[in-house]
Amino acid sequence: MKMKILRRCTAFFLILGVLLWACSVWTDRLAEDMADSVPGRNHTVAKISAEPENTVDLLILGDSESHTSMSPMELWGESGVSAYVCGQSGQRIQETYYMLKKALQTQSPKAVILETNVMFRDPGFFRNLQTCFAEPLRYYMPVFRYHSLWKMIFDGQKNTGDDYKGFMIRNAVDPCDGEEYMKETTERQEIPEFARIYMEKITELCRKNDISLVLMSAPSPKNYNYRKHNALQEYADAQGLPYIDLNLKTKEIGIDWKQDSYDKGDHLNVYGAQKVTAYMGKYLKENYDLPDHRGDPKYADWDQMEKKYREKLNL
């Protein structure tokens, strides 16, 4: 009797697993086809999955500081580097890791820039634990990520707005006083343990795939200070990773906190992002061998998108 029950339970879970796998394959492909309309946090996942295979040479990861600080279209116009911003608002380090894994299913980037504010996000032990279980489930079984996709099939697709390889144009100006926020100190802010665990996984994944990993702190008076700088510099040195703290280079970059802030020093607007992208583009050109794809017929859509981007900027 017990063996009979065991066989039935085993058969049930096998059938359930096959059904979930089949639904996951279907929803994943459907999300790629409907990527422009996928809402919320899953929009970025669907969009990078929909990019043609092996066309992205640079990935930019992190929370909202990443997708407001670097513009792929600016980088494309300046150097022809194909970059994609995989940042999400409030992205947690676990999401960063699985976002990278998802992108590597179809892309073979030569470099990854990780915006470091994500390393200090700590919602608490239980929320971290919850995300540790939820993210691999969404990664391996996309039906759980796109569980509400069926609504778009019946209600119709709605474009979520213009985005340019993960970057959206935010041209509002809300100034702040950011002149003295990086006051030098020897104190150090602790990097949460969960962040260290997943940073190790991210670093190992990059090394395994022969990807250069660069840590970058975007200019942000609300999010950065010298204590964070000290912690990040110490971490980068210990791991043998390059670290660029743009909060110490705002004058060199030309950041004007009266013109380049979107929301009182939390995020950069498009004018600040243009300056950061120009600076990082020069750094990438000097330190990494990223190809210039301008004029390549395979990248004709990038030329068209840049034209659309410039027209939008000049409206």
Side-chain angles (χ1 to χ4, degrees):
M1 186 68 177
K2 289 183 179 179
M3 287 301 295
K4 190 176 181 179
I5 294 173
L6 181 61
R7 283 196 296 268
R8 285 181 177 178
C9 288
T10 302
F12 170 78
F13 284 111
L14 280 173
I15 293 169
L16 179 63
V18 170
L19 287 173
L20 287 173
W21 173 82
C23 289
S24 290
V25 171
W26 178 73
T27 54
D28 212 23
R29 291 175 180 172
L30 186 62
E32 290 179 23
D33 292 339
M34 304 170 68
D36 286 334
S37 301
V38 174
R41 304 186 65 72
N42 296 323
H43 179 76
T44 306
V45 183
K47 287 286 283 183
I48 186 61
S49 300
E51 286 292 306
E53 288 192 17
N54 298 319
T55 55
V56 176
D57 290 325
L58 172 67
L59 289 173
I60 301 159
L61 301 169
D63 64 11
S64 55
E65 297 303 320
S66 70
H67 69 63
T68 55
S69 298
M70 284 195 69
S71 168
M73 289 297 99
E74 294 289 338
L75 199 57
W76 176 262
E78 292 165 6
S79 58
V81 170
S82 55
Y84 202 100
V85 181
C86 292
Q88 299 163 299
S89 295
Q91 188 177 93
R92 298 174 191 165
I93 195 70
Q94 299 94 325
E95 293 177 294
T96 306
Y97 173 66
Y98 282 100
M99 180 72 79
L100 177 57
K101 280 181 70 72
K102 183 65 176 175
L104 295 184
Q105 288 182 351
T106 54
Q107 302 298 331
S108 301
K110 295 174 175 59
V112 164
I113 293 176
L114 189 143
E115 206 290 322
T116 55
N117 195 51
V118 70
M119 293 173 65
F120 291 98
R121 288 194 170 275
D122 188 7
F125 178 79
F126 290 106
R127 291 294 297 275
N128 271 319
L129 200 60
Q130 181 186 42
T131 309
C132 287
F133 283 107
E135 282 307 303
L137 186 63
R138 295 185 185 116
Y139 174 77
Y140 290 108
M141 291 289 183
V143 66
F144 292 107
R145 181 182 297 281
Y146 301 119
H147 59 85
S148 61
L149 205 60
W150 62 272
K151 293 180 182 179
M152 288 193 297
I153 299 174
F154 294 101
D155 297 343
Q157 298 184 45
K158 298 177 182 178
N159 197 301
T160 56
D162 293 332
D163 91 64
Y164 302 91
K165 304 299 181 182
F167 179 85
M168 296 185 72
I169 295 174
R170 298 169 176 84
N171 53 13
V173 177
D174 195 354
C176 75
D177 180 15
E179 297 302 319
E180 301 296 330
Y181 72 100
M182 291 297 287
K183 294 181 179 179
E184 191 167 353
T185 179
T186 57
E187 294 180 3
R188 178 173 54 85
Q189 183 164 329
E190 287 296 325
I191 297 173
E193 189 59 30
F194 270 98
R196 289 183 175 274
I197 291 170
Y198 275 86
M199 277 304 300
E200 186 175 335
K201 292 163 75 73
I202 290 167
T203 303
E204 180 57 30
L205 187 58
C206 286
R207 286 173 180 161
K208 182 180 177 181
N209 288 276
D210 197 26
I211 300 169
S212 298
L213 176 61
V214 180
L215 304 184
M216 180 196 81
S217 296
S220 175
K222 279 199 174 181
N223 290 289
Y224 284 105
N225 53 53
Y226 219 95
R227 293 187 299 117
K228 285 186 177 180
H229 167 82
N230 288 338
L232 289 164
Q233 189 66 66
E234 181 181 82
Y235 179 85
D237 291 344
Q239 299 297 320
L241 296 172
Y243 170 49
I244 305 165
D245 191 347
L246 300 179
N247 294 280
L248 298 177
K249 301 177 183 291
T250 53
K251 289 183 179 179
E252 184 180 348
I253 296 168
I255 296 295
D256 179 355
W257 290 116
K258 290 181 173 57
Q259 299 294 328
D260 297 331
S261 171
Y262 177 74
D263 47 7
K264 292 183 169 62
D266 194 353
H267 304 92
L268 296 174
N269 56 26
V270 66
Y271 312 114
Q274 287 175 320
K275 296 174 181 179
V276 166
T277 305
Y279 182 90
M280 290 302 297
K282 183 180 177 182
Y283 169 84
L284 291 167
K285 185 176 181 180
E286 291 174 352
N287 292 278
Y288 301 95
D289 186 22
L290 299 178
D292 183 345
H293 293 293
R294 288 173 296 183
D296 185 341
K298 185 179 177 181
Y299 289 83
D301 65 310
W302 289 71
D303 290 322
Q304 293 167 8
M305 183 172 284
E306 192 209 357
K307 182 180 179 181
K308 182 181 174 184
Y309 170 81
R310 299 294 175 194
E311 289 171 353
K312 187 78 172 180
L313 276 177
N314 294 326
L315 285 179

